[in-house]
């Protein structure tokens, strides 16, 4: 396909790199890459082995000593150029995201647009890495804080956003003076190779050292564990399941490293009697079936007041019946495949469990076969009447399953239902009642890191800090002041007087 050639994707691709002309052919075993769209073989990636990992780390350490001394606005200029290159490659990179991962082409283009947007954000940020000045209690003293680069930042990304999450981290880390070591998901390695080709070209054009942006594609059991345990990496940002995040957090904490954890979501939308259903229904459907339900912010639960339940259920059901499922590169289709057949098994197992617990499948739930569905990765999104206390509803199933449930009291009851899960990523309420909205946003309201009003749970903008609470991990990426995580804070006190007064009025006379 032409977009593969444009991005420099070959039949055999090297999965370890410190720069465009520094891709390493390593004996870490071959990774065969297939598309879930039709099951076709896309290419082969040679995985990084441990000696090559150590070589890349050496290059990264050397590059950091140079990169950190470059003024932040100059680092921002490099990120600006990366954003411009991404604009040039938005179409082919978006197509690769869609083809390798399976999300719709519209979403593939949108993911690359997120990369462009965060580059723009980071360019402005490069002139705003500010600290505070504080008044000292001691005369002739000045106190202030400043922020310094951390070093090597490890970035571990999941399959569902194969390029955007890297950019959220790498753009900010780069302007902060850090160098990056990226381990993409082994389910979508070619997206990593393509981005490395684009970014490393900018680095090379500007005469920067190899090792500023690094790529390692390798086995989690070897390269992944080595990365988590590596004391040379002061910060690791990891996106993945709660199970993976719990293990990573424990390993990183044992060596006193820092971690940004973006883990599971079990996101709910509350629909109150005053809701505008013309807004609510499209938001619910996109949130539930977009990326085939494989977003951490996908809508999993709908909590509807009993007085409008039948109307909301029937409206969503009508929309589900109109969904077109098929090749994600075809713009006429709404829903593409799941990432692989293992995900299909998880989808089927979840539906079997909810039926065993008393749930009622209203629509969908089938594994699709026949022409156009040869990969075995296509399913029909499922609508299920369920109760929040079902064990399967309490879990995050990374698939297009929408659980519908009722509440009968006021909005406080709906909020309690929403919060009664271990995850705390994204949440939403559809209401035109100011009191309901403010209750939802109050300290007594949603316990999630993201709380939306009259929009869905997915589709976050890069300007706000992204992340969640509880078993979602507590991490924050992208906008607001998330940049502070990629730097170390230092408090400075300067005595410009001729005496040495001590804090708290302590006397120490010699």
């Amino acid at each position: 396909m032409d977009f593969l050639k444009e991005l420099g994707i070959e039949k055999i691709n090297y999965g370890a790199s410190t720069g465009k002309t520094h891709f390493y052919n390593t004996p870490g075993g071959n990774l065969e890459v297939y598309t879930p769209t039709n099951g076709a073989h896309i290419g082969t990636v040679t995985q990084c082995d441990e000696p090559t990992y150590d070589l890349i780390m050496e290059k990264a350490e050397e590059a950091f000593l140079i990169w950190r001394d470059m003024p932040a606005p100059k680092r921002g200029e490099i990120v600006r150029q990366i954003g411009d290159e991404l604009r040039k490659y938005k179409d082919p990179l978006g197509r690769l995201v869609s083809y390798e991962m399976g999300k719709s082409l519209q979403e593939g283009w949108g993911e690359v647009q997120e990369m462009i947007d965060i580059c723009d954000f980071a360019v402005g940020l490069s002139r705003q890495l500010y600290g505070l000045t504080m008044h000292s209690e001691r005369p002739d003293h000045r106190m202030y804080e400043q922020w310094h680069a951390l070093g090597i930042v490890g970035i571990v990304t999941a399959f569902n956003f194969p390029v955007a999450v890297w950019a959220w981290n790498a753009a900010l880390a780069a302007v902060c003076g850090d160098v990056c070591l990226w381990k993409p998901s082994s389910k979508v390695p070619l997206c990593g190779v393509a981005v490395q080709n684009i970014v490393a070209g900018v680095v090379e054009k500007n005469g920067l050292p190899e090792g500023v942006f690094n790529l390692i594609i390798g086995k989690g059991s070897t390269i992944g564990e080595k990365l988590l345990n590596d004391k040379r990496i002061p910060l690791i940002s990891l996106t993945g399941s709660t199970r993976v995040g719990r293990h990573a957090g424990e390993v990183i904490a044992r060596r006193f490293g820092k971690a940004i954890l973006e883990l599971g979501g079990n996101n709910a939308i509350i629909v109150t009697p005053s809701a505008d259903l013309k807004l609510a229904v499209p938001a619910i459907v996109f949130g539930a079936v977009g990326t085939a339900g494989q977003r951490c912010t996908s809508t999993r639960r709908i909590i509807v007041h009993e007085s409008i339940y039948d109307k909301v259920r029937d409206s969503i059901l009508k929309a589900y019946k109109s969904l077109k499922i098929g090749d994600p590169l075809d713009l006429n289709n709404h829903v593409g495949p799941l990432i692989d057949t293992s995900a299909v098994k998880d989808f089927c197992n979840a539906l079997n469990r909810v039926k065993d617990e008393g749930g009622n499948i209203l629509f969908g739930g089938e594994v699709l076969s026949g022409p156009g569905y040869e990969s075995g990765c296509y399913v029909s999104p499922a609508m299920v009447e369920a109760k929040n206390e079902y064990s399967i509803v309490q879990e995050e199933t990374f698939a297009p399953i929408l659980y519908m449930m009722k509440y009968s009291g006021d909005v406080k009851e709906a909020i309690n239902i929403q919060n009664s899960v271990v995850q705390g990523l994204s949440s939403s309420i559809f209401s035109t009642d100011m009191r309901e909205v403010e209750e939802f946003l109050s300290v007594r309201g949603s316990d999630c890191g993201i709380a939306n009003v009259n929009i869905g749970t997915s589709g976050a903008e890069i300007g706000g800090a992204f992340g969640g609470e509880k078993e979602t991990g507590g991490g924050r990426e992208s906008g607001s002041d998330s940049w502070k995580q990629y730097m170390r804070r230092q408090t400075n006190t300067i005595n410009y007087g001729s005496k040495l007064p001590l804090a708290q009025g302590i006397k120490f006379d010699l």
Side-chain angles (χ1 to χ4, degrees):
M1 294 185 174
D2 290 342
F3 63 84
L4 297 176
K5 294 180 181 179
E6 288 183 65
L7 296 166
I9 302 299
E10 308 287 348
K11 290 184 178 179
I12 298 177
N13 305 272
Y14 300 152
S17 172
T18 55
K20 190 169 185 179
T21 57
H22 296 88
F23 275 83
Y24 301 93
N25 184 8
T26 61
N30 287 345
L31 184 61
E32 304 299 337
V33 186
Y34 299 86
T35 172
T37 63
N38 58 20
H41 183 262
I42 310 176
T44 301
V45 176
T46 62
Q47 299 182 95
C48 182
D49 61 355
E50 294 188 57
T52 307
Y53 171 92
D54 288 326
L55 174 62
I56 289 175
M57 283 297 297
E58 291 175 10
K59 296 292 185 182
E61 287 183 302
E62 293 170 3
F64 173 62
L65 300 181
I66 299 171
W67 185 246
R68 69 180 180 182
D69 281 342
M70 182 181 292
K74 297 294 184 183
R75 298 193 295 258
E77 167 59 18
I78 301 301
V79 173
R80 184 195 67 78
Q81 292 180 37
I82 292 173
D84 284 348
E85 286 300 296
L86 289 169
R87 285 179 171 87
K88 295 179 185 176
Y89 288 97
K90 179 177 176 178
D91 179 65
L93 185 56
R95 290 179 184 276
L96 176 60
V97 169
S98 180
Y99 189 57
E100 187 177 25
M101 185 267 149
K103 64 175 59 177
S104 73
L105 182 54
Q106 286 285 355
E107 292 182 81
W109 286 331
E111 186 167 346
V112 182
Q113 187 61 50
E114 281 191 59
M115 302 175 78
I116 295 166
D117 292 344
I118 196 64
C119 286
D120 288 350
F121 181 91
V123 172
L125 179 64
S126 69
R127 295 181 181 270
Q128 300 179 70
L129 302 175
Y130 50 82
L132 299 173
T133 299
M134 292 76 71
H135 286 273
S136 173
E137 67 183 63
R138 290 169 284 185
D140 300 331
H141 281 60
R142 180 166 68 89
M143 289 178 61
Y144 71 98
E145 67 180 20
Q146 58 181 342
W147 297 82
H148 295 303
L150 271 178
I152 301 172
V153 171
I155 304 171
V156 181
T157 58
F159 74 85
N160 58 329
F161 279 84
V163 295
V165 174
W166 169 83
W168 290 1
N169 288 276
L172 298 193
V175 299
C176 289
D178 303 320
V179 299
C180 300
L181 181 68
W182 181 21
K183 184 184 182 303
S185 167
S186 294
K187 295 184 178 183
V188 284
L190 296 178
C191 285
V193 173
V195 171
Q196 182 71 1
N197 285 337
I198 293 168
V199 173
V202 173
V203 172
E204 188 175 273
K205 182 177 68 175
N206 285 272
L208 298 173
E210 59 177 304
V212 176
F213 296 98
N214 304 280
L215 176 71
I216 51 165
I217 297 169
K219 298 176 181 177
S221 59
T222 53
I223 298 302
E225 288 301 312
K226 194 172 180 67
L227 187 153
L228 295 179
N229 284 279
D230 199 328
K231 292 183 177 180
R232 295 170 293 184
I233 304 176
L235 171 67
I236 293 178
S237 177
L238 181 144
T239 302
S241 68
T242 297
R243 179 186 61 80
V244 171
R246 180 177 285 111
H247 169 70
E250 291 172 353
V251 172
I252 297 166
R254 278 199 297 269
R255 62 175 178 84
F256 295 100
K258 296 170 63 178
I260 301 172
L261 299 177
E262 297 289 356
L263 311 177
N266 194 348
N267 315 295
I269 292 178
I270 296 170
V271 185
T272 76
S274 70
D276 183 345
L277 297 188
K278 291 181 180 178
L279 298 179
V281 171
I284 291 167
V285 175
F286 174 73
V289 308
T291 322
Q294 297 171 119
R295 290 183 178 219
C296 52
T297 55
S298 289
T299 304
R300 311 281 177 204
R301 298 174 293 143
I302 302 298
I303 305 165
V304 187
H305 193 271
E306 62 180 6
S307 65
I308 59 169
Y309 180 83
D310 290 348
K311 183 177 182 180
V312 173
R313 178 200 58 204
D314 293 346
S315 296
I316 297 173
L317 186 59
K318 181 180 179 181
Y320 266 53
K321 290 178 179 178
S322 70
L323 291 174
K324 297 178 181 177
I325 305 167
D327 184 349
L329 289 171
D330 183 344
L331 291 173
N332 292 312
N333 291 326
H334 300 104
V335 183
L338 294 175
I339 185 64
D340 53 29
T341 54
S342 293
V344 174
K345 290 179 183 177
D346 291 341
F347 171 80
C348 295
N349 290 338
L351 291 176
N352 288 332
R353 284 181 58 188
V354 78
K355 285 190 291 185
D356 290 343
E357 294 191 66
N360 176 33
I361 298 178
L362 298 171
F363 181 82
E366 299 89 8
V367 178
L368 303 180
S369 59
Y373 303 131
E374 291 85 358
S375 68
C377 297
Y378 291 88
V379 301
S380 58
M383 279 180 63
V384 182
E385 288 183 316
K387 295 182 179 179
N388 202 60
E389 58 265 28
Y390 291 173
S391 63
I392 185 60
V393 176
Q394 291 284 312
E395 299 174 12
E396 178 193 41
T397 302
F398 228 52
I401 303 175
L402 180 65
Y403 300 116
M404 297 198 64
M405 56 198 72
K406 300 176 184 178
Y407 75 100
S408 57
D410 61 15
V411 75
K412 295 182 180 66
E413 179 189 346
I415 292 170
N416 288 336
I417 294 171
Q418 177 204 279
N419 292 346
S420 296
V421 294
V422 296
Q423 307 86 358
L425 179 52
S426 188
S427 59
S428 174
I429 187 171
F430 278 83
S431 172
T432 57
D433 184 318
M434 182 187 72
R435 289 179 175 175
E436 290 179 333
V437 167
E438 291 297 336
E439 183 75 21
F440 177 77
L441 297 176
S442 75
V443 68
R444 301 183 301 273
S446 171
D447 64 1
C448 296
I450 299 169
N452 295 330
V453 176
N454 295 327
I455 62 171
T457 60
S458 61
E461 299 179 34
I462 59 89
F466 179 89
E469 302 301 324
K470 301 190 288 188
E471 290 192 5
T472 299
R476 293 296 186 274
E477 295 172 321
S478 190
S480 186
D481 64 349
S482 297
W483 62 270
K484 293 180 179 179
Q485 297 170 107
Y486 304 91
M487 305 193 82
R488 57 182 177 89
R489 185 197 306 251
Q490 185 179 79
T491 301
N492 307 113
T493 306
I494 300 171
N495 179 1
Y496 58 89
S498 57
K499 298 180 180 180
L500 189 67
L502 300 178
Q504 293 84 49
I506 295 173
K507 300 296 183 182
F508 186 76
D509 297 324
L510 293 176

